[in-house]
């Protein structure tokens, strides 16, 4: 009996010291003792597929493809240009309302604010880490820039800025562009923006 | 006539019962403790080709999850970003860092960086990221506090129990939509969470499936 208990304790301690405890960090992939049908012969997003020469399961998008059902036949809407020139105003599929502005704000804060700053002054967090050339929206050059050119810059990038058409849909890009105009407007107020009483107070 | 059984045999049955109980107990305890994803999956922290630090990018810089995982709210799959996403900033910030060499190589060659996948549901589970994050289930519920991780590891067990716990009591987990990507957010108290959760479940008409076909197809 004494032998049994000794051996039992020895084996238990040995097993625990080999297997360790729950939650301890490990570099080794999880054991799948009973594979069931956990890993099937199918291709999931962003996985490898040896059938193709580049080895990926996801096929690169053919240039010029559009998402099914999303194509609008409107040059200005799709490219920001009217007959090759950056256009003013908004293309006809865009209808600006509160919901559209909220979409723009949301996407701006996710995608653009990191560099351009939440207020559009070009002082995003990246500036303190070495990104020096981010321009502010609040100067004459940017205020006078056409909507189409801003849309094109978001889509295709410019100088050091990368293209964002893979992250934002066409509608979202127009929404961000619209929100950018709102930021500019908020930064460049006119006396008429405040009530006459307040204007008196401020002596305007 | 001499005794057939020696004297020590008197205690043998008791000893056998004791030994069987001890062994049985130990095996049960061992299986309960080890044969679960809480042991087998949690803590998996593979070496990635680039030591991307989430705590730096999210907590220190304040970046949103969706800057990189762009399609998490529109797709079933929470995408790993392409090298171009990194290069949007790293073409100017630490542009020559040797740590980022695989990113630059990928950006120039158009070959993807081979990140090691950590969270893997079985292939017969159809988990849709978009429906969850768009109904107030935060990233943190399944992935843990990635915003604090210097190196990503498997934090939660992703067992079916874990899925069902939330599917049976969604009010304990759902949160306002603007807090889904705020991994530090917590309701003020458990009661506050329940109150808010019940309200959101009612308003959004949340009715998580508990039948097999809800997730297994």
């Amino acid at each position: 009996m004494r032998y049994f208990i000794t051996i039992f304790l020895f084996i238990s301690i040995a097993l625990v010291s080999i297997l360790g405890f729950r939650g301890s960090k490990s570099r080794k992939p999880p054991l799948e003792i009973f594979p069931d049908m956990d890993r099937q012969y199918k291709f999931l997003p962003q996985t490898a597929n040896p059938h193709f020469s580049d080895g990926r399961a996801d096929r690169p998008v053919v240039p010029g493809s559009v998402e099914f059902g999303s194509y609008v036949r409107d040059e200005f809407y799709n490219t920001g240009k009217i007959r090759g020139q950056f256009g003013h105003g908004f293309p006809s599929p865009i209808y600006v309302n509160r919901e559209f502005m909220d979409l723009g704000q949301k996407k701006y804060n996710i995608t653009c604010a990191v560099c351009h700053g939440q207020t559009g002054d070009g002082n995003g967090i990246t500036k303190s880490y070495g990104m020096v050339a981010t321009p502010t929206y609040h100067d004459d050059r940017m205020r006078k820039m056409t909507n189409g050119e801003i849309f094109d810059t978001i889509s295709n990038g410019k100088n050091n800025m990368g293209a964002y058409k893979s992250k934002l849909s066409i509608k979202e890009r127009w929404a961000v562009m619209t929100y950018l105009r709102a930021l500019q407007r908020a930064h460049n107020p006119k006396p008429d923006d405040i009530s006459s009483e307040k204007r008196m107070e401020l002596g305007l | 006539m001499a005794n057939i059984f020696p004297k020590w045999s008197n205690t043998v049955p008791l000893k056998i019962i004791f030994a069987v109980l001890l062994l049985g107990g130990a095996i049960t305890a061992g299986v309960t403790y080890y044969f679960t994803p809480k042991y087998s999956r949690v803590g998996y922290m593979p070496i990635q080709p680039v030591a991307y630090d989430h705590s730096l990018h999210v907590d220190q810089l304040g970046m949103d999850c969706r800057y990189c995982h762009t399609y998490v709210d529109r797709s079933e799959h929470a995408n790993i970003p392409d090298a171009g996403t990194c290069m949007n900033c790293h073409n100017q910030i630490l542009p020559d860092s040797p740590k980022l060499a695989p990113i630059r190589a990928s950006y120039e060659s158009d070959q993807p960086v081979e990140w090691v996948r950590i969270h893997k549901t079985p292939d017969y589970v159809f988990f849709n990221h978009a429906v969850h994050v768009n109904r107030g289930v935060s990233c943190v519920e399944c992935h843990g506090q990635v915003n604090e991780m210097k190196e990503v590891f498997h934090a939660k067990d992703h067992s079916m129990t874990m899925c069902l716990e939330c599917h049976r009591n969604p009010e304990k987990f759902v949160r306002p939509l603007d807090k889904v990507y705020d991994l530090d957010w917590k309701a003020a108290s458990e009661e506050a969470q329940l109150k808010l959760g019940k309200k959101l479940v009612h308003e959004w008409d949340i009715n998580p499936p508990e039948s097999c076909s809800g997730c297994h197809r």
Side-chain angles (χ1 to χ4, degrees):
Chain A
M1 198 65 203
R2 208 175 301 145
Y3 288 118
F4 172 76
I5 291 180
T6 319
I7 293 170
F8 173 80
L9 281 179
F10 177 74
I11 292 178
S12 316
I13 293 170
L15 275 179
V16 171
S17 37
I18 293 168
L19 295 171
F21 296 107
R22 278 182 185 176
S24 49
K25 302 274 163 50
S26 160
R27 296 290 187 194
K28 278 176 275 171
L31 277 181
E32 289 176 342
I33 302 165
F34 304 111
D36 299 329
M37 287 167 75
D38 285 3
R39 307 290 160 234
Q40 300 167 5
Y41 289 106
K42 65 178 181 185
F43 298 110
L44 299 170
Q46 296 195 304
T47 52
N49 181 348
H51 176 73
F52 295 107
S53 58
D54 65 359
R56 332 172 195 201
D58 301 298
R59 304 317 307 142
V61 178
V62 178
S65 340
V66 287
E67 199 184 331
F68 188 80
S70 75
Y71 181 64
V72 179
R73 200 186 189 86
D74 184 327
E75 187 202 3
F76 187 28
Y77 178 74
N78 291 318
T79 64
K81 291 178 185 171
I82 302 169
R83 285 186 294 280
Q85 294 287 315
F86 291 124
H88 288 277
F90 287 94
S92 53
I94 294 296
Y95 178 70
V96 180
N97 55 12
R98 181 66 201 235
E99 195 191 329
F100 189 70
M101 287 301 269
D102 285 345
L103 174 71
Q105 182 181 37
K106 181 176 126 184
K107 293 293 169 186
Y108 180 88
N109 285 337
I110 294 171
T111 316
C112 319
V114 198
C115 298
H116 289 283
Q118 293 231 327
T119 58
D121 55 4
N123 289 327
I125 183 78
T126 51
K127 186 155 255 181
S128 41
Y129 289 82
M131 187 108 88
V132 284
T134 319
T136 169
Y137 301 147
H138 310 304
D139 61 15
D140 263 5
R141 181 182 72 88
M142 291 289 281
R143 284 182 190 134
K144 283 182 184 146
M145 195 181 268
T146 57
N147 288 357
E149 188 172 357
I150 295 175
F151 175 86
D152 179 73
T153 307
I154 301 171
S155 306
N156 300 315
K158 196 185 233 179
N159 302 328
N160 279 327
M161 176 179 152
Y164 280 84
K165 62 181 163 205
S166 65
K167 293 196 177 293
L168 299 167
S169 71
I170 293 176
K171 187 184 166 197
E172 287 164 350
R173 277 173 259 155
W174 280 108
V176 168
M177 185 251 114
T178 314
Y179 181 67
L180 193 154
R181 288 293 190 218
L183 288 177
Q184 286 182 331
R185 186 71 180 80
H187 208 268
N188 189 24
K190 294 183 173 60
D192 296 349
D193 291 344
I194 47 178
S195 65
S196 51
E197 291 160 40
K198 293 280 178 197
R199 244 182 293 162
M200 294 282 271
E201 261 176 56
L202 292 164
L204 289 168
Chain B
M1 196 176 117
N3 291 330
I4 299 173
F5 295 104
K7 199 175 177 193
W8 57 261
S9 63
N10 285 343
T11 54
V12 162
L14 268 180
K15 281 180 179 166
I16 290 176
I17 290 171
F18 176 71
V20 166
L21 282 179
L22 197 64
L23 274 179
I27 291 170
T28 315
V31 167
T32 318
Y33 189 78
Y34 287 119
F35 282 38
T36 154
K38 282 180 190 155
Y39 168 73
S40 65
R41 302 207 80 90
V42 174
Y44 177 41
M45 185 168 74
I47 295 175
Q48 301 287 359
V50 179
Y52 178 81
D53 182 348
H54 277 81
S55 69
L56 172 90
H57 289 84
V58 183
D59 263 8
Q60 202 171 317
L61 306 186
M63 286 172 69
D64 191 285
C65 308
R66 289 164 290 179
Y67 184 86
C68 303
H69 305 292
T70 322
Y71 290 98
V72 66
D73 56 356
R74 278 166 279 176
S75 156
E76 139 250 340
H77 176 69
N79 60 303
I80 302 295
D82 62 328
T85 302
C86 312
M87 291 304 275
N88 281 338
C89 299
H90 285 292
N91 60 355
Q92 294 160 77
I93 298 172
L94 302 176
D96 306 312
S97 166
K99 286 183 183 170
L100 291 165
I103 299 288
R104 290 192 296 273
S106 163
Y107 186 64
E108 275 148 31
S109 69
D110 226 15
Q111 283 300 305
V113 179
E114 293 192 21
W115 302 100
V116 185
R117 186 156 186 177
I118 300 172
H119 299 88
K120 270 185 175 175
T121 46
D123 285 355
Y124 46 77
V125 175
F126 290 79
F127 179 84
N128 187 317
H129 278 86
V131 292
H132 287 87
V133 294
N134 291 334
R135 275 292 174 267
V137 180
S138 170
C139 321
V140 74
E141 308 294 354
C142 304
H143 295 289
Q145 295 230 271
V146 180
N147 60 327
E148 292 174 356
M149 293 182 192
K150 279 184 113 48
E151 216 175 330
V152 182
F153 58 89
H154 209 304
K156 302 272 179 116
D157 55 278
H158 284 206
S159 63
M160 197 168 122
T161 318
M162 198 184 105
C163 303
L164 281 173
E165 231 162 70
C166 186
H167 272 228
R168 287 180 178 144
N169 304 300
E171 68 279 359
K172 288 186 186 163
F173 300 92
V174 290
R175 55 173 77 190
L177 287 182
D178 57 335
K179 303 286 184 237
V180 167
Y181 304 93
D182 179 356
L183 271 53
D184 286 324
W185 186 87
K186 266 197 183 76
S189 66
E190 232 167 271
E191 293 84 62
Q193 169 64 47
L194 275 181
K195 197 171 161 230
L196 174 77
K198 281 191 178 133
K199 189 175 143 254
L200 294 178
V201 167
H202 178 73
E203 272 173 18
W204 295 336
D205 211 2
I206 296 178
N207 186 17
E210 283 172 49
S211 66
C212 313
S213 63
C215 313
H216 304 295
R217 274 167 253 155

